[in-house]
Amino acid sequence: MNNNEKIAVIIAAYNIENRIEKCIQSVQKQTYSNWRIYVVDDGSTDKTSFLLDKVASEDTRIQVSHVSNGGKWRAHRIAIDSVKECEYVIFLDSDDELIDKNLFELCIKEFTNDEVDIVSFDYMRNGKVGFGIEERVCLSDNKEKIKNMLNRRIMDGNVCGALYRFSVVKNNYSIMNFNHEDYKNKFDFIRSANKIIILPVLGFLYYKNADSLTQRNITEKDGYYYLHAKVFIEKILLEYPDLGEECNYFVGSILLWTSEKLVQNRKNRKLQIYQPTMKEFRKYVCGHKFKNKYFTLEDRIKICLISLGMYRMVYKIYTKIRDI
């Protein structure tokens, strides 16, 4: 293994004192040790700052920057601009952890082909495997890359879950307005990549944090997630009009996520985004767009329950059973 092939691990940390050490330790356990962690403390008010300084004092490969709170995307940009002498980069959420100690080594081997710019892998969430990738896949055609990002069968729009050639990230990374929109950066990364390798390797664990983006209560700002996604797919359809089913699924899954969050709590009816979002949801149902082949059985059950006004009741029962 060439010791010059250094990996930059980028982590944005905010008030994550209960998980940040496990996240960093999962990197330290990698069999490939030529890495450097660039972690940005994004204005934490708990013990996160102290813990980061502690681990950095114990391992010279860890670089910590303390900045005022400006969001995940700005923190990532600060880290990217701090990277030195690294050929590859991986993004790791501060409450997640790597679960295959050989992950870096397996990914690095794929870069022996100079045309490979991204190596993607699988994940686990809530005890379930994410994609269930069964064999190594190579994607070189832009249309195929975009199609697979949209349909979320072997990769998705999350910037985590892949090792990138650093130049691809540095030249294409943009600061987003909202934390939802990983997919805009992921889209630019995969468009500029020559080849993408997708490995049947269970690489990392998404931790179910009650305060994380996917678990917390919905806010007015979350309405932009769906609106921005609509604009995003409109641009894709101009270039690839035959990706209609994939685009419909992508934006429909975001609408389903938003609608699901809104109906979980009766108080959400007071939000300004409630009525327009639910109107869009009903339009999708009436237009049979939710019959798209990419929606799973679980998705279809949720759609049915929301349409029948039964989702909140079933969700309350489920959460009580889950917490027993």
Side-chain angles (χ1 to χ4, degrees), residues 154-208:
I154 54 176
M155 67 175 182
D156 59 19
N158 192 336
V159 296
C160 297
L163 185 67
Y164 306 88
R165 197 175 293 278
F166 181 64
S167 57
V168 168
V169 170
K170 186 173 179 63
N171 296 333
N172 293 282
Y173 188 92
S174 301
I175 296 177
M176 301 288 113
N177 291 325
F178 300 96
N179 282 341
H180 293 296
E181 290 149 30
D182 289 50
Y183 62 84
K184 291 185 178 180
N185 272 320
K186 187 67 168 283
F187 176 78
D188 288 334
F189 296 165
I190 66 175
R191 290 246 317 180
S192 64
N194 288 309
K195 288 184 179 179
I196 299 175
I197 302 297
I198 300 171
L199 296 177
V201 174
L202 200 56
F204 72 112
L205 171 72
Y206 273 124
Y207 180 71
K208 187 180 179 182

Side-chain angles (χ1 to χ4, degrees), residues 268-279:
N268 290 336
R269 293 183 179 181
K270 296 179 181 179
L271 294 175
Q272 292 181 13
I273 64 172
Y274 182 86
Q275 291 297 339
T277 301
M278 299 316 296
K279 183 178 179 180

Side-chain angles (χ1 to χ4, degrees), residues 2 66 95 130 158 287 305:
N2 184 348
H66 299 283
D95 55 353
N158 192 336
L305 291 173

Side-chain angles (χ1 to χ4, degrees), residues 178-181 213 216-227 254 257-258 261-262 271 273 277:
F178 300 96
N179 282 341
H180 293 296
E181 290 149 30
L213 202 61
R216 63 166 171 74
N217 291 330
I218 196 165
T219 66
E220 297 285 5
K221 288 195 303 183
D222 294 321
Y224 288 102
Y225 187 24
Y226 173 62
L227 295 177
I254 292 173
W257 179 88
T258 311
K261 284 291 181 181
L262 284 171
L271 294 175
I273 64 172
T277 301

